[in-house]
Amino acid sequence: MAWAVGEKLQGGRYRLESILGEGGFGITYCAWDDLRADQVVIKVLNDSLTRDPDYPRFQQNFINEALQLARCHHPHVVKVEEVICEGERWCIVMEFIRGQTLHQLLRQKGSLPLSEALRLTREVGSALSALHEQGILHRDVKPANIMVRAESGEAVLIDFGLARGFAQGILQRHTSYGTDGYAPLEQYDTWRRRGAFIDVYALAATLYTMLTGVVPLCAPVRATGRELDPPQSLNPAIPDSLNQAILQGMALKWEERPQTIAEWLQLLPDSISEATGVAPQGEDRGQLPPGIGLQSADLKALEELLSKPAPQDELEQLIANCSAEELERIVAPPTSATVKMAPDQGALIFPDVQMGWGSSQPGSQVGLNPGKVAWPEWVGEAAPAFQRLWERLQAGQWQEADRWTTALMLKIGGRFQTGYFTPEDIQAFPCPMLRLIDQLWVKSSLGRFGFSVQKQLWQGLDTSGTWTESTSRRSALPREEQMAEKVGWCVQGRWLGYEELNTSLQAAKGHLPVGFFWGYAGGLRSALLLLDRAVLKKMNACF
């Protein structure tokens, strides 16, 4: 690391307060500027680059592009205050933007209304056009590199770590860095034609995400023949003209895209009424709520799961009348002193208490164990609702058990009417209930399925998520894609629908249950993109 938090630069003028981010190119600090009496952002090249033989060239490019960027005065481009040298390191001092990234905003909202998405796109587009006039390609336009100001809601383009000079349409050598989903195919090669059409692709892909809540299929996978899902297929509220403009901007071949940002922006409708042919009335209908893809028939089917044969008010009464501590006691596993043997097939099993995983009798069913704990001895009033989940798990009815789990969790979380969870709902979900559901899954699947199983897989992921020229290979995918491949929700680049999940013990470890990720219009891909941090945080708190 270049410097530790608390250190001072430039004779004490700048005091480093925190690290805002660290990537393959640079480290970004939040610092206090005594002269301006305000916070600033200071960016410096990453330590790993100092050991590269080409470090002098990296640093020279860093300085030149910082100076070039400083001459670009635009309301939607982050302002460069000055370029400084501390010891042997050159640094860029930039304005501190109060707000959040577009990526964070999308995690909260799922998708944006048409009017807001179009406005932000035009603001970023005007910033890119100004940069292109200066001969600068951004090369990393994506929601994470767009700030939304807290006060005005305006977009500001940030993070120019991949920015390079270019000559439109000329063959040039650039480093092969990019972000999957937003980088066009030509950006994966070091020697290709360069032009504004690179940023056109990324901006169109960013608009795709704003309107659907889904990261587009990455260009190299598309090049193998996989078709990009039209944004309109994920959000039917997108008008035909806007759908076509996004697809044209994301054409796989650079020569088939609009060649400048201005050309592409002309394809976008000026207003919602122009796009739809209908004057807007009241709320913007273009926004896609996270759960809009859940059909009423699905909700009805889930409702029936809880209504038959046990009345729903038993579970509702339990949740309403018990504190978190009381719930913990109700669902706490029994100790050896309280264990009672029960011959019935519906009894809950605790192999760790009684016999151990390997102590099954000849002819016993998969997931069953001769050592059992009678269910009513410790589950109390929750028995009717959870008993039926247990029966399905014991029968190996994994699909029904998964749907029952979804219905149960929506009911407990108070989200049955909407049919999906938000990050706030996830944090409020009672841990005792989550642990109980997990325990049933883990024990009936012999440790193959369950939330705690998913947590262990999640924590073992590589989250660097970059592709580099130096290694000549792709390293980690984005975390949500890694997780999907690990648990079998994404197979050879194709994301499974909810109805396509493998409902057998031959499924990948952690494949079930879907749990909090149910009900998103963009399917599991959209749900993971929006909720992965919230779910992992909840699992860390509960297990």
Side-chain angles (χ1 to χ4, degrees), residues 265-283:
L265 289 178
Q266 288 178 356
L267 300 178
L268 303 183
D270 289 329
S271 64
I272 300 174
S273 57
E274 179 186 326
T276 61
V278 179
Q281 297 180 356
E283 183 182 358

Side-chain angles (χ1 to χ4, degrees), residues 5 10 27 119 128 182 207 216 264 321 323 334 346 348 372 381 384-385 412 421 444 457 470 490 511 520 531-532:
V5 172
Q10 300 294 288
I27 304 175
R119 176 181 61 80
L128 289 169
Y182 302 100
L207 179 56
W264 182 70
N321 296 338
S323 65
L348 182 62
K372 303 172 190 170
E381 295 178 59
I412 293 170
F421 286 96
S444 60
L457 295 173
S470 60
C490 181
H511 193 70
Y520 275 67
L531 299 179
D532 66 328

Side-chain angles (χ1 to χ4, degrees), residues 276-313:
T276 61
V278 179
Q281 297 180 356
E283 183 182 358
D284 184 346
R285 302 295 294 175
Q287 183 175 9
L288 179 66
I292 199 171
L294 186 63
Q295 303 299 315
S296 58
D298 294 325
L299 277 175
K300 185 177 180 181
L302 293 177
E303 186 89 46
E304 291 175 354
L305 284 177
L306 285 181
S307 63
K308 295 180 180 180
Q312 296 177 10
D313 59 350

Side-chain angles (χ1 to χ4, degrees), residues 28-43:
T28 306
Y29 296 90
C30 175
W32 178 260
D33 182 354
D34 279 344
L35 185 61
R36 294 185 180 85
D38 198 2
Q39 289 176 308
V40 294
V41 171
I42 296 179
K43 187 164 186 176

Side-chain angles (χ1 to χ4, degrees), residues 406-427:
T406 297
L408 205 54
M409 291 177 67
L410 289 170
K411 196 71 169 179
I412 293 170
R415 298 294 295 177
F416 212 91
Q417 296 304 311
T418 58
Y420 65 91
F421 286 96
T422 67
E424 293 74 23
D425 301 324
I426 292 169
Q427 297 313 311

Side-chain angles (χ1 to χ4, degrees), residues 195-213:
F197 45 78
I198 288 178
D199 286 343
V200 167
Y201 184 102
L203 184 57
T206 298
L207 179 56
Y208 183 111
T209 300
M210 281 195 275
L211 293 175
T212 65

